[in-house]
Amino acid sequence: MDTRKLRILTAVVDEYILTGEPVGSKTIMKHVNASSATIRNEMAELEKQGYLEQPHTSAGRIPTYNGYRLYVDSLMRHDPLSEEEKRYLDSMMPESAVTEDELVQSVSMALAELTQCATVVANSSPKFSLISKVEVIPTGKRMYVILMITSNGKIRNKVCRLEFDLTNEQLEFFDSFMQENLQGISLEEISDEFFDNIKTAMGTYMMSLSPLVSEILTLSKELIAQDVMVRGERNLLTCKEFNQNEIISFLDNKREIMKFIDDTFSGLQVMFSPEQDSFVIHNSSIITAPFSKDGRNIGAIGLIGPMRLDYAKFIPYLEYFTERITDLLSEKEDDDED
């Protein structure tokens, strides 16, 4: 495509994002040094090539998803955030020390407010994580807390009530047995059959300790499951460019979005619903970016909105927030080690 066509396509997308109205040749004349007739001919050619479409006869043009794809990949301006913008975004971050989950939740809510989109937060696939520690802690008469920690820093605990008190000998055996048989095991290997074999291997201790093993299986399944959290749902429900029934279906099955986010953990991604046959919200786009801890991608934050998004503005916001989450998690890790 020649330079003039690219400039016209860029101008159409920029104007349509700004106004939401079909863009005519006279409007493009403000951006491209060419006659109205020349611009109309070029826009007609862009329509033939699949980058623009004309919603009504005699109306202007709007971008197709192919037009948005070319715009996002090659034509969009990339203006760095100003120091004033960074300070404003920083003001939306939590002021006091918070947990990892609270930090990410706070950022997702800020992004939803800032962009008037929905935000989705997902943890990275944990199947390659290893079990680092399993411990049982007596907390009262017949009450025990099971603690499980994985190599990607996830922690889960569960209270277990038994019908009898465990002896010191039983607790020592349990700790030793778990260290020998579970520590270093990949979550990918976890299954009901695996834990049935664990129980059998306990021998005479099986009857007394199998309730604890069953709870460890439950915790393992919780750790394997990828968490998905959506904020700003109201922004989707009030968006005139969406079908409300599709939004409700998405919110009822939000875990389905994980198959579109898995690739995000290798870097920022922009996806359009026409490219994703099984994504339930038509005419939508998803922008996602990963955040890290200890040099490992541990999650991703995404924006969900109509295809008519201000990508040049929102992508830097998302990148800045995920970079700040990474920085703050690293600082918190250093503080915890100190």
Side-chain angles (χ1 to χ4, degrees):
M1 221 188 300
D2 61 50
T3 302
R4 184 164 62 194
K5 283 189 179 67
L6 293 175
R7 290 179 61 194
I8 290 173
L9 177 59
T10 303
V12 170
V13 177
D14 283 337
E15 286 289 337
Y16 186 63
I17 286 173
L18 183 65
T19 66
E21 298 293 334
V23 183
S25 57
K26 291 184 179 179
T27 301
I28 301 303
M29 288 177 66
K30 297 184 294 183
H31 305 277
V32 179
N33 185 21
S35 68
S36 179
T38 299
I39 291 173
R40 280 198 300 272
N41 290 336
E42 296 282 42
M43 291 171 76
E45 188 63 28
L46 286 166
E47 186 176 356
K48 289 179 183 177
Q49 294 175 344
Y51 296 107
L52 298 178
E53 61 182 341
Q54 194 171 23
H56 308 289
T57 305
S58 77
R61 266 77 171 188
I62 64 175
T64 64
Y65 85 89
N66 284 323
Y68 281 116
R69 171 55 66 198
L70 182 58
Y71 173 84
V72 168
D73 290 347
S74 306
L75 307 177
M76 178 180 72
R77 70 184 188 277
H78 293 274
D79 298 331
L81 293 175
S82 67
E83 291 304 314
E84 183 178 356
E85 287 176 308
K86 289 179 181 178
R87 285 194 293 271
Y88 177 68
L89 297 181
D90 285 339
S91 71
M92 304 181 81
M93 303 281 285
E95 294 182 4
S96 56
V98 293
T99 66
E100 176 184 318
D101 289 343
E102 289 171 335
L103 172 63
V104 175
Q105 186 175 105
S106 176
V107 167
S108 68
M109 292 174 66
L111 263 173
E113 178 184 342
L114 195 62
T115 62
Q116 291 302 293
C117 294
T119 57
V120 57
V121 176
N123 66 325
S124 61
S125 179
K127 63 183 180 181
F128 301 116
S129 298
L130 307 179
I131 297 175
S132 300
K133 183 177 184 179
V134 176
E135 185 178 355
V136 59
I137 305 167
T139 58
K141 189 172 180 60
R142 302 180 182 178
M143 296 284 288
Y144 299 87
V145 171
I146 301 170
L147 175 70
M148 180 179 283
I149 304 174
T150 64
S151 58
N152 67 342
K154 291 294 182 181
I155 301 173
R156 290 289 186 275
N157 60 71
K158 191 172 182 64
V159 176
C160 183
R161 183 190 295 274
L162 300 181
E163 296 181 1
F164 45 81
D165 287 316
L166 296 176
T167 66
N168 289 335
E169 179 190 349
Q170 290 170 321
L171 290 172
E172 289 171 5
F173 171 84
F174 182 85
D175 287 338
S176 175
F177 188 86
M178 290 298 109
Q179 184 174 347
E180 181 179 345
N181 290 276
L182 276 185
Q183 191 168 313
I185 295 294
S186 170
L187 288 175
E188 194 175 21
E189 299 178 43
I190 298 301
S191 65
D192 291 355
E193 183 181 1
F194 176 86
F195 273 96
D196 285 342
N197 293 334
I198 288 285
K199 290 178 183 178
T200 301
M202 284 183 161
T204 57
Y205 289 94
M206 182 178 68
M207 291 299 294
S208 57
L209 298 178
S210 60
L212 297 180
V213 177
S214 297
E215 296 297 352
I216 292 173
L217 173 60
T218 301
L219 288 178
S220 301
K221 290 181 176 179
E222 289 178 6
L223 286 164
I224 292 171
Q226 290 178 281
D227 296 326
V228 177
M229 177 182 69
V230 176
R231 290 289 180 268
E233 299 95 327
R234 183 179 177 83
N235 294 333
L236 293 180
L237 289 166
T238 57
C239 180
K240 296 179 180 178
E241 297 177 52
F242 288 150
N243 179 301
Q244 282 206 355
N245 289 332
E246 291 182 349
I247 301 303
I248 293 169
S249 179
F250 162 72
L251 294 175
D252 286 342
N253 302 278
K254 55 191 174 185
R255 193 172 292 279
E256 291 294 313
I257 200 172
M258 282 307 307
K259 57 191 169 191
F260 306 114
I261 294 181
D262 277 342
D263 289 340
T264 294
F265 299 115
S266 60
L268 185 136
Q269 302 283 333
V270 180
M271 294 162 280
F272 302 109
S273 57
E275 300 171 330
Q276 313 289 341
D277 292 337
S278 56
F279 191 54
V280 70
I281 308 176
H282 292 91
N283 195 37
S284 66
S285 63
I286 311 170
I287 313 170
T288 54
F291 54 89
S292 305
K293 181 180 180 181
D294 300 331
R296 301 189 308 271
N297 287 340
I298 62 168
I301 296 182
L303 293 173
I304 303 176
M307 284 199 288
R308 191 178 65 85
L309 284 183
D310 193 343
Y311 299 96
K313 185 176 183 179
F314 292 171
I315 287 176
Y317 286 169
L318 182 59
E319 289 180 317
Y320 185 76
F321 273 130
T322 51
E323 287 169 5
R324 289 292 293 131
I325 289 174
T326 297
D327 292 342
L328 289 171
L329 290 179
S330 298
E331 292 173 10
K332 187 176 187 305
E333 187 72 16
D334 291 341
D335 291 342
D336 289 344
E337 288 178 2
D338 291 341

